[in-house]
Amino acid sequence: MELLTVDCLGKPLRLEASIAGWQQVFWDNQLVSVIPASENAPRKQQHHFELKQTQANEPESERIIHISLDVELDWQPFELNYQLNCNSQVIHQGCITASDMEKRTPEKPKATKTKLSLIGLASLGFKLLKSAKVIKVVLAGASLAAYSWLFSFEFALVLIACLVIHEYGHVRAMQYFGMKTKGMYLIPFMGGLALSDEKINTRWQNVVISIMGPTFGLVASLIALVLYWFTNNLFFAGIAAINALLNLFNMLPILPLDGGHILKSISFSMNSLLGLVLCVIAALLGVLVSYSLGLALFGFLLLIGSLEIGFEWKMRHQSDLIPLDRYGQIFSAIWYLVTVSALIGVIWHLAGTGDAILGLPLKILQS
């Protein structure tokens, strides 16, 4: 992953590295130095290379400039100290932490002019369609119609409201990290999806973005539960129960659900082998749940998640995400367990009211 970009002789110098130990230095997008991967790579590395610079007053002559880049890199907790020397003179030095990486936004390539064609016009039309938010409206309408057909119009409104609150939590987390978002999309029979224009850089970002959806859902359930206590209106109790069950489902430790992303971030930050074992256990749990509830769609999602786990294991040393430090691992695990426990508590409490409808979520969990 890209760790550093600084100016060197009027052109960008970029440092890329991975947990496996390899490092690459590019100057003006040309590879100038490589340190291969090593199991016991030292924290301190030094890159030496030479660059040619044309003299302004003598265009035909070139001078050789000796460049050295001193790198001191720690992955857990992440910290990069660097010093760039030009002919033994320091021109850049500094320190980059995980919080700096979270705020970093990728550079967008310059747009190139393309010839007008039918494909180009179709692409432009599709972009205009997206910018007009027609797709979001169509999907939202389709979701409302689908859930109304499957249940009732009133239930469909409540379910969509719960999905919007959940996805809004993801969007707010993306915005917290300074990421540009495309908003949220409601997909019939699939739930919702929050999209961003940018990629995450750290596993802490992955944890926060994943867990904020269920956290917002939990807050909404607690508010509805309090309203039920004050008004004794079963409508608020129903909202609390449905929303709690929906978000608890998303917290299952199975990819591509939110809980699966949280588990993967924690486990692969602790130890690669331990991470694989935990993900396999989660996958087996998902198979058990799918079999007991007869959820074909759930089994399909589990299959996709299993493939993602396998790919993550294969590419674990070349991961583009900075791992969680020990504090991040513990905090993320506690946050996850507290959220799951609170959602179960809401469902358990409402089931104790004796109402058959309010007790349905608990029966689903016990079946």
Side-chain angles (χ1 to χ4, degrees):
M1 67 179 303
E2 180 181 332
L3 300 183
L4 173 68
T5 301
V6 295
D7 179 78
C8 180
L9 305 180
K11 297 181 179 179
L13 183 136
R14 184 175 74 254
L15 170 67
E16 296 183 357
S18 77
I19 303 177
W22 65 262
Q23 295 184 12
Q24 296 182 143
V25 177
F26 295 85
W27 183 73
D28 195 23
N29 291 324
Q30 296 181 357
L31 184 64
V32 293
S33 178
V34 177
I35 295 178
S38 173
E39 293 184 359
N40 299 315
R43 295 172 56 251
K44 296 182 178 180
Q45 300 278 17
Q46 193 171 55
H47 297 268
H48 293 279
F49 51 94
E50 296 179 347
L51 299 177
K52 296 180 180 180
Q53 188 179 44
T54 303
Q55 300 286 349
N57 54 351
E58 299 180 9
E60 297 181 356
S61 65
E62 294 180 335
R63 64 168 180 163
I64 304 298
I65 300 178
H66 299 277
I67 305 294
S68 65
L69 176 63
D70 300 328
V71 176
E72 185 175 350
L73 177 61
D74 290 308
W75 287 101
Q76 286 185 308
F78 178 82
E79 185 176 276
L80 170 65
N81 292 281
Y82 66 92
Q83 179 175 299
L84 181 62
N85 305 303
C86 178
N87 286 338
S88 301
Q89 293 184 353
V90 178
I91 59 175
H92 287 291
Q93 63 180 357
C95 177
I96 298 176
T97 62
S99 60
D100 298 321
M101 295 295 295
E102 290 169 357
K103 299 175 183 177
R104 174 176 295 179
T105 56
E107 296 183 2
K108 294 184 178 180
K110 296 182 179 179
T112 57
K113 296 182 179 180
T114 57
K115 296 182 179 179
L116 187 64
S117 64
L118 292 177
I119 297 178
L121 289 174
S123 176
L124 178 61
F126 182 71
K127 290 181 179 179
L128 291 175
L129 189 66
K130 289 176 62 179
S131 64
K133 300 182 180 180
V134 174
I135 293 179
K136 294 181 181 180
V137 175
V138 170
L139 288 176
S143 298
L144 179 61
Y147 297 135
S148 298
W149 171 78
L150 191 61
F151 303 105
S152 67
F153 180 75
E154 293 79 6
F155 183 86
L157 289 176
V158 172
L159 183 58
I160 288 179
C162 294
L163 291 173
V164 169
I165 293 173
H166 177 96
E167 297 303 328
Y168 182 69
H170 293 314
V171 171
R172 288 297 299 165
M174 294 175 185
Q175 294 173 345
Y176 169 78
F177 289 113
M179 302 169 62
K180 296 181 180 179
T181 63
K182 295 181 179 179
M184 63 186 77
Y185 293 81
L186 296 175
I187 305 174
F189 304 113
M190 292 287 290
L193 182 66
L195 297 178
S196 171
D197 288 324
E198 301 171 5
K199 294 182 179 180
I200 60 176
N201 296 317
T202 69
R203 292 203 180 274
W204 173 244
Q205 287 178 307
N206 194 22
V207 168
V208 175
I209 293 173
S210 298
I211 204 170
M212 282 303 289
T215 299
F216 268 56
L218 172 61
V219 172
S221 288
L222 293 177
I223 293 175
L225 183 61
V226 172
L227 291 175
Y228 166 66
W229 288 341
F230 281 101
T231 64
N232 203 30
N233 191 328
L234 290 178
F235 175 74
F236 296 115
I239 293 178
I242 294 171
N243 198 40
L245 181 62
L246 172 68
N247 286 277
L248 183 61
F249 174 83
N250 273 278
M251 288 296 278
L252 289 174
I254 302 162
L255 292 168
L257 300 178
D258 296 330
H261 287 285
I262 299 169
L263 172 68
K264 186 176 71 171
S265 294
I266 297 174
S267 56
F268 278 95
S269 296
M270 290 190 295
N271 181 278
S272 295
L273 180 60
L274 177 61
L276 181 65
V277 171
L278 291 177
C279 288
V280 169
I281 293 175
L284 294 177
L285 175 63
V287 172
L288 178 62
V289 173
S290 299
Y291 176 77
S292 60
L293 298 181
L295 298 176
L297 176 61
F298 196 84
F300 174 71
L301 294 177
L302 177 59
L303 176 61
I304 297 177
S306 300
L307 295 176
E308 185 176 350
I309 291 174
F311 179 77
E312 181 75 15
W313 167 256
K314 184 178 180 180
M315 303 295 293
R316 62 192 183 278
H317 292 309
Q318 284 76 36
S319 174
D320 288 338
L321 301 182
I322 297 175
L324 295 168
D325 56 21
R326 186 60 55 87
Y327 170 78
Q329 296 167 21
I330 296 175
F331 185 84
S332 300
I334 293 176
W335 192 356
Y336 174 83
L337 293 175
V338 169
T339 304
V340 170
S341 300
L343 291 170
I344 294 176
V346 171
I347 294 174
W348 199 280
H349 174 76
L350 292 173
T353 60
D355 186 274
I357 300 299
L358 298 181
L360 185 59
L362 182 60
K363 290 183 178 179
I364 293 176
L365 296 178
Q366 292 176 338
S367 64

